[in-house]
């Protein structure tokens, strides 16, 4: 989805635009005899790169590449890295400030260099991982700049194991910090600074790392589950340096509650008619994918519903391929906190050739001579040395705006 951050209020904040037409076509034909047995499990993006985690343990890297003249740039597969587990990739976290990707697969965390996807030498995988969270304040750090170099700071993250939370710091090397006991374990965790918001099978809790205290906050579901139904999934999003959003099923719908690091409610609440399949936060909007395949967008400042993206159209009756059926289904939302590039559909239409008069080498102050531009002969552009003649240059539309998924 692409964001119109500066759009007027009467323009919806988001629009849906396809980025990659077929991710899995590299694995062979999609027919009734040989249907795709590989699925996309997770995705992340940064600048002109999109990273896709697959169910067979493959990590795919797509990059924005120039297209034929008159067509917008498109994302093309550049490399593929097979994790040694051969198991599904459950989560990808990009840390551009240290050019590293943390990959969760088969209860292990692997470390790869981005964008090359080469393994980080000297760092072994961390095992027995149930969940992990990188400090959100460190995730949003930008990549180092050549023009304004700054010291590279370590990135802090935590690992949830069966009965403990283990703290690490990552820079050129992986450093163990400490271990915090955790009774009951957790299956989901998000971190900002020295505060964790975790979820076990029943409720949300806050864990303060500096005081090693855990405070229960809110149940994941406020009513007993109906027989034969799956329990509702916990969902947590970091919305500020000291603020989380957590979701709780009420029986008639789902409520989104904003809490600070002390566990106190802040702002108002958000409401959904059903429990979302996925949520993500891009200030000031919370975007939720619902079971009916619609996407609802709320503004956290007003708590109002600002946009509803309709469900995608179903494939035509003549289309029976598995890829078409799976492609029509929305499964999750992903947020790229540092932004990525969206090809412009209108940019090629706005490219025009424009004649620009250039000064001759003999031009003098107060009496400048301008050499006229050369004519176009036989339908071809004739270009000479810029100092001796006019030149033909392209005028381009403004660059595409990076967007966070």
């Amino acid at each position: 989805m692409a964001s119109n951050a500066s759009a007027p209020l009467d323009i919806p904040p988001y629009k849906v635009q396809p980025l990659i037409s077929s991710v899995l076509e590299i694995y062979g034909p999609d027919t009734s005899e040989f249907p795709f047995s590989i699925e996309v499990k997770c995705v992340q993006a940064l600048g002109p790169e999109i990273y896709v985690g697959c169910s067979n343990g493959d990590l795919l890297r797509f990059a924005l590449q120039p297209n034929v003249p008159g067509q917008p740039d498109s994302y093309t597969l550049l490399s593929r890295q097979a994790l040694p587990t051969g198991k599904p990739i459950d989560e990808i976290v990009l840390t551009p400030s240290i050019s590293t990707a943390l990959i969760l697969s088969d209860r292990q965390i692997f470390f790869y260099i981005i964008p090359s996807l080469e393994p980080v030498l000297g760092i072994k995988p961390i095992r027995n991982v149930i969940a992990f969270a990188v400090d959100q304040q460190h995730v949003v750090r930008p990549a180092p700049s050549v023009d304004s170099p700054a010291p590279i700071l370590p990135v802090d993250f935590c690992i949830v194991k069966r009965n403990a939370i283990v703290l690490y710091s990552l820079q050129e090397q992986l450093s163990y910090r400490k271990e915090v006991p955790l009774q009951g374990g957790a299956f989901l965790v998000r971190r900002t600074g020295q505060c964790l918001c975790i979820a076990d099978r029943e409720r949300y809790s806050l864990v303060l790392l500096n005081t090693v205290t855990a405070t229960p906050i809110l149940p994941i579901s406020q009513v007993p589950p109906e027989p034969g139904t799956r329990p509702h999934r916990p969902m947590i999003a970091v919305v500020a340096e000291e603020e989380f959003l957590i979701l709780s099923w009420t029986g008639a719908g789902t409520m989104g509650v904003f809490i600070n690091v002390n566990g106190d409610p802040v702002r108002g609440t958000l409401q959904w008619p059903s429990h979302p399949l996925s949520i993500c936060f891009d200030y000031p909007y919370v975007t939720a994918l619902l079971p009916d395949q619609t996407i609802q967008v709320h503004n956290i400042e007003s708590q109002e519903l600002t946009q509803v993206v309709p469900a995608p159209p179903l494939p035509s009756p003549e289309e029976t391929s598995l890829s078409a059926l799976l492609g029509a289904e929305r499964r999750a939302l992903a947020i790229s906190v540092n932004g990525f590039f969206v090809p412009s559909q209108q940019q090629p239409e706005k490219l025009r050739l424009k004649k620009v008069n250039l000064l001759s080498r003999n031009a003098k102050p107060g009496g400048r001579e301008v050499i006229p531009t050369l004519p176009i002969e036989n339908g071809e552009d004739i270009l000479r040395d810029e100092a001796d003649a006019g030149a033909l240059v392209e005028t381009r539309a403004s660059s595409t705006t990076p967007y966070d998924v």
Side-chain angles (χ1 to χ4, degrees):
M1 294 172 63
S3 171
N4 299 325
S6 60
L9 293 178
D10 58 344
I11 298 179
Y14 295 99
K15 65 178 180 180
V16 177
Q17 178 175 324
L19 295 179
I20 304 175
S21 59
S22 179
V23 174
L24 302 178
E25 62 183 6
I26 62 172
Y27 294 105
D30 170 27
T31 65
S32 57
E33 292 81 11
F34 301 99
F36 286 132
S37 59
I38 301 171
E39 299 180 1
V40 172
K41 302 298 290 185
C42 55
V43 63
Q44 261 299 336
L46 177 65
E49 311 275 344
I50 294 179
Y51 302 88
V52 180
C54 300
S55 58
N56 64 343
D58 278 359
L59 181 61
L60 309 179
R61 171 192 167 212
F62 293 82
L64 193 62
Q65 300 291 301
N67 212 328
V68 296
Q71 296 294 326
D73 299 344
S74 61
Y75 279 95
T76 305
L77 179 68
L78 287 193
S79 61
R80 176 172 58 178
Q81 179 67 252
L83 269 65
T85 63
K87 300 294 181 64
I89 295 178
D90 300 310
E91 189 173 356
I92 300 172
V93 176
L94 305 179
T95 55
S97 66
I98 57 174
S99 302
T100 304
L102 285 71
I103 312 296
L104 177 62
S105 174
D106 193 30
R107 300 183 65 179
Q108 301 179 65
I109 292 182
F110 300 86
F111 302 88
Y112 290 92
I113 299 171
I114 54 175
S116 66
L117 293 186
E118 297 176 358
V120 178
L121 298 178
I123 300 182
K124 296 181 179 180
I126 301 176
R127 304 181 185 277
N128 302 316
V129 178
I130 297 178
F132 83 107
V134 180
D135 188 340
Q136 187 72 7
Q137 299 177 33
H138 296 179
V139 172
V140 299
R141 289 175 183 164
S145 172
V146 178
D147 298 330
S148 56
I152 299 178
L153 302 176
V155 170
D156 297 332
F157 66 98
C158 62
I159 300 295
V160 176
K161 297 197 172 184
R162 186 179 299 273
N163 295 307
I165 299 173
V166 186
L167 307 184
Y168 290 92
S169 183
L170 178 64
Q171 199 170 10
E172 295 181 354
Q173 300 294 327
L174 180 64
S175 302
Y176 167 85
R177 293 306 183 194
K178 67 178 181 179
E179 184 172 309
V180 177
L182 178 64
Q183 295 183 353
F187 300 93
L188 178 64
V189 58
R190 292 292 181 262
R191 175 175 177 176
T192 175
Q194 294 299 303
C195 184
L196 307 180
C197 185
I198 64 174
D200 57 21
R201 295 185 184 276
E202 296 182 354
R203 65 177 56 251
Y204 299 98
S205 300
L206 288 178
V207 178
L208 299 180
L209 298 176
N210 49 5
T211 60
V212 195
T213 58
T215 305
I217 300 298
L218 192 68
I220 299 169
S221 177
Q222 301 179 34
V223 297
E226 297 181 1
T229 61
R230 292 183 177 181
H232 293 89
R233 293 177 52 191
M235 295 190 187
I236 308 170
V238 177
V239 298
E241 289 190 0
E242 296 186 346
E243 188 177 341
F244 297 96
L245 170 65
I246 57 177
L247 272 59
S248 179
W249 173 251
T250 64
T254 292
M255 174 177 60
V257 180
F258 298 93
I259 57 170
N260 60 23
V261 295
N262 298 318
D264 301 323
V266 294
R267 307 182 191 271
T269 59
L270 305 181
Q271 299 289 336
W272 292 277
S274 56
H275 196 71
L277 302 176
S278 177
I279 65 168
C280 62
F281 174 71
D282 176 27
Y283 183 85
Y285 301 110
V286 172
T287 309
L289 172 62
L290 300 184
D292 64 0
Q293 294 289 287
T294 62
I295 298 174
Q296 291 193 359
V297 182
H298 288 81
N299 187 309
I300 67 169
E301 300 297 345
S302 64
Q303 293 85 54
E304 294 180 352
L305 180 63
T306 60
Q307 182 183 1
V308 176
V309 179
L314 295 175
S316 63
E318 294 78 15
E319 184 60 75
T320 59
S321 67
L322 183 60
S323 61
L325 297 176
L326 294 177
E329 180 186 4
R330 293 170 177 161
R331 298 190 176 186
L333 302 175
I335 177 70
S336 174
V337 295
N338 288 284
F340 69 94
F341 295 118
V342 177
S344 173
Q345 300 287 358
Q346 299 177 347
Q347 190 178 42
E349 301 175 1
K350 297 182 179 179
L351 295 178
R352 297 290 186 271
L353 289 176
K354 183 178 180 180
K355 297 180 180 180
V356 179
N357 293 329
L358 301 177
L359 300 179
S360 70
R361 289 193 179 97
N362 299 324
K364 298 180 181 180
R368 297 186 174 184
E369 300 177 8
V370 177
I371 305 299
T373 57
L374 292 175
I376 297 178
E377 299 179 358
N378 299 324
E380 296 183 356
D381 299 340
I382 300 178
L383 303 181
R384 291 177 54 192
D385 190 294
E386 290 182 351
D388 292 332
L392 292 172
V393 299
E394 288 184 336
T395 59
R396 296 180 176 270
S398 58
S399 62
T400 55
T401 303
Y403 165 63
D404 305 333
V405 167

